[in-house]
Amino acid sequence: MIESYFHKGEGYNPFLIREGWQVAQLNHVSGHGLDDIERIEVHKSTDEVFILFKGNAVLVEAVVNGDNTTFHCEKMRKGVTYNIPAGTWHDIAMDLDVEIIIVEKSETHKNDCEYLKLSQQERNDLYAMINKSLL
């Protein structure tokens, strides 16, 4: 039996969960726009896979070294599979019509997330890098 899934609403929806892994769809949600990210996250125990299939999005990698956080931003290309390895601080910046597929261990978003709030200066630096990567 063929199953099909699609998420029309805002935000994150894990719609296919099987034996320790899940597939979710992420659509635009406040706090993950191109200029409103306030925190980054890390998963200590699992990689996280992203595939863009609509809109514009930028993957953000962060290196946290004490009070100094540096960012690397990569504009996502449609149909390309991106992997964020376990232990990597990251986030994703999205425009309003974005649709992304995420593959990860099940319950990652509930049991394996740690967050770091960014300072205003870090946010300003990040927004500038996101905008630059979209050019």
Side-chain angles (χ1 to χ4, degrees):
M1 177 189 306
I2 295 174
E3 299 175 358
S4 62
Y5 303 90
F6 183 74
H7 172 56
K8 287 186 177 186
E10 183 179 272
Y12 178 82
N13 180 29
F15 49 71
L16 178 59
I17 303 171
R18 300 283 196 276
E19 301 176 8
W21 63 275
Q22 69 187 21
V23 178
Q25 184 171 331
L26 177 64
N27 298 343
H28 181 269
V29 63
S30 180
H32 295 281
L34 300 175
D35 62 358
D36 69 346
I37 293 174
E38 294 186 0
R39 66 183 187 179
I40 53 176
E41 66 182 58
V42 66
H43 308 295
K44 303 280 185 174
S45 303
T46 185
D47 290 10
E48 187 172 21
V49 173
F50 296 85
I51 305 166
L52 175 71
F53 66 96
K54 181 180 176 191
N56 288 306
V58 175
L59 275 174
V60 175
E61 174 189 4
V63 176
V64 179
N65 188 5
D67 289 339
N68 185 30
T69 302
T70 57
F71 301 100
H72 168 75
C73 294
E74 185 167 339
K75 181 179 179 183
M76 296 179 73
R77 293 178 287 141
K78 291 180 181 98
V80 174
T81 301
Y82 297 89
N83 184 56
I84 302 293
T88 303
W89 287 97
H90 66 282
D91 209 295
I92 187 163
M94 305 174 276
D95 70 13
L96 294 175
D97 68 342
V98 80
E99 294 174 358
I100 295 170
I101 294 296
I102 297 176
V103 181
E104 61 193 349
K105 286 184 182 176
S106 59
E107 304 293 319
T108 295
H109 63 288
K110 293 181 180 177
N111 300 323
D112 189 25
C113 277
E114 182 179 327
Y115 299 98
L116 178 66
K117 185 171 175 60
L118 300 174
S119 70
Q120 185 62 55
Q121 184 59 53
E122 290 169 328
R123 292 194 315 259
N124 292 342
D125 293 346
L126 176 56
Y127 304 153
M129 290 190 72
I130 290 168
N131 287 326
K132 184 177 178 182
S133 71
L134 289 170
L135 299 177

